[in-house]
């Protein structure tokens, strides 16, 4: 049986978040961040968001509206330019 963390790590959305965080953290730190370090950062952020009520209204609606801004050819990095 998979642990909850193993199940989360296999989620495509989690993998995409790890990819984005790895790139951003590497640029900010000036060194290549490992996938494991990026997974830890994403796990911390998601746990904090969920524990703060992020999976309930109105936070869930805000997150949905924020993510709707990403078009099919747009990336998270392009959002940071706006």
């Amino acid at each position: 049986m998979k642990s909850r963390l193993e199940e989360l790590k296999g989620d495509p959305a989690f993998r995409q978040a790890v990819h984005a965080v790895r790139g951003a953290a590497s640029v900010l730190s000036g060194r290549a961040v490992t996938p494991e370090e990026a997974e830890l950062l994403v796990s911390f952020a998601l746990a904090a968001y969920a524990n703060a009520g992020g999976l309930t209204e109105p936070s869930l609606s805000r997150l949905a509206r924020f993510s709707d801004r990403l078009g099919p050819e747009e990336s998270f990095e392009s959002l940071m330019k706006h």
Side-chain angles (χ1 to χ4, degrees), residues 45-67:
L46 289 175
Y49 188 80
N51 285 333
L55 301 180
T56 59
E57 292 299 338
S59 295
L60 193 55
S61 290
R62 288 184 194 115
L63 180 60
R65 282 192 305 276
F66 174 77
S67 63

